[in-house]
Amino acid sequence: WKKYFDGFQEAGVGPDDGALPLRVWQIWEAMVEYLKQKDIARFVAAAGVMGHYVGDASQPLHCSYLHHGVPPMDEVNGRKYPVRHGTPEFKEFAKTREYKIHAIYEEQMLEVDPLGALTAVDAAIDGMLDIKDRITTGHQAAIQVIQLMHRSQQRLSPQEIIDADDASLSPSARAKALWNNNKIRKATIESLADSVRVLAALWSAAWTAGGGNSLTSGDLGAIDERSEERRVGKECRSR
C-alpha cells in the first residue's frame, strides 16, 4: 500500500495517500483488545471513531482523487495525474466554486430533506441482507470496508456527481439540484444504508472476538464521564 503511493510522491504528482481501510483495521483490533480487558469505555469510544471511517467509505467522492471535483492535472510519461495537495496549483483550485462539491454533496444535500433522507435510509437497511462473511481479524475488517468503497462507486461514480453539479448556482441551489436528481439520491441512500450494515457487522464481530458475550451485568452499565477523564489523564501522565 505504502509502496504504491510512494511512487506518486516520488514523481511529484497525486493522488495523495489514503489510509481509511488501514485505520479500520487498527481500530477493529483495538476494540477487541479493549473488550478483552473489560475496558468498555474505550471499546465504545473506538466504535464511535470507526463509524466516521466507515461512513466516509460509503461516499463516492471521499474515496477518489475527485473528492473535490476535477483537480488540475500534471502529465508524466504521457499520463495525466492530479496535482498533489499543498501545491500552489491545488491551493488555487481550493478557492474555486467547483471545489465545494465535496461539502455540498456529503453535507448540504442531505440537509435538503433530513427526515426524508433518514426515512429512506431506514427503509433501505430493512431491505438489505446481513453480511454473511465471518470477520475475525482486522485485515478482514479492512477488506469489508474496501468492498463497501467499491460498491458505493459502482452505484454512483464520482464523475457522475460532478457532471450533475452546476457550480454557477448558489451552494443551497446546488445541493437541492443534486437531491432532486433521482439517480444520485437513490444511490446515495443505498450507500449510506450499506455503510450502516457494514458498521453493524464490524461492531458485532469485534464484540464476539473480544468475548463480549461472556461479560456480566457488573462489567457493563453507565459510564461516568468524569472518572474516565481522570483515568485517561492519569494513564497519559504515567507515560
Side-chain angles (χ1 to χ4, degrees), residues 35-226:
L35 205 54
K36 288 179 178 178
Q37 299 164 17
K38 298 185 178 181
D39 192 339
I40 309 304
R42 280 191 170 87
F43 175 85
V44 172
V49 174
M50 180 185 283
H52 182 112
Y53 286 100
V54 176
D56 283 349
S58 71
Q59 301 300 292
L61 289 176
H62 213 103
C63 304
S64 164
Y65 78 92
L66 298 171
H67 46 81
H68 284 287
V70 182
M73 307 292 283
D74 277 338
E75 187 168 319
V76 177
N77 297 328
R79 292 187 61 181
K80 289 186 177 180
Y81 300 89
V83 298
R84 294 191 68 78
H85 293 184
T87 60
E89 294 88 350
F90 191 86
K91 289 179 179 178
E92 284 301 309
F93 171 60
K95 299 175 184 178
T96 66
R97 298 170 68 92
E98 287 77 8
Y99 180 87
K100 300 182 185 299
I101 182 59
H102 187 106
I104 288 170
Y105 170 72
E106 290 195 13
E107 297 176 23
Q108 289 178 267
M109 185 187 79
L110 295 170
E111 294 168 353
V112 172
D113 181 12
L115 179 59
L118 290 171
T119 301
V121 170
D122 285 345
I125 292 171
D126 288 341
M128 288 182 170
L129 299 175
D130 292 338
I131 290 175
K132 299 301 182 184
D133 296 341
R134 286 195 66 205
I135 305 169
T136 58
T137 67
H139 178 263
Q140 290 171 346
I143 293 298
Q144 286 293 331
V145 173
I146 290 174
Q147 291 173 345
L148 170 63
M149 293 161 64
H150 176 71
R151 289 193 299 270
S152 298
Q153 294 205 9
Q154 287 293 103
R155 291 188 192 98
L156 182 65
S157 72
Q159 192 63 55
E160 286 179 291
I161 299 171
I162 294 166
D163 290 343
D165 178 46
D166 183 352
S168 69
L169 301 175
S170 67
S172 59
R174 292 168 70 180
K176 188 173 183 179
L178 289 175
W179 180 251
N180 289 334
N181 183 305
N182 186 60
K183 178 174 182 180
I184 288 177
R185 183 178 66 252
K186 186 175 184 292
T188 301
I189 287 167
E190 289 178 359
S191 290
L192 288 171
D194 197 2
S195 72
V196 173
R197 182 181 68 130
V198 171
L199 183 60
L202 295 178
W203 282 351
S204 179
W207 178 266
T208 299
N213 292 331
S214 66
L215 297 177
T216 66
S217 58
D219 297 320
L220 305 173
I223 296 171
D224 187 307
E225 190 172 335
R226 291 194 175 184

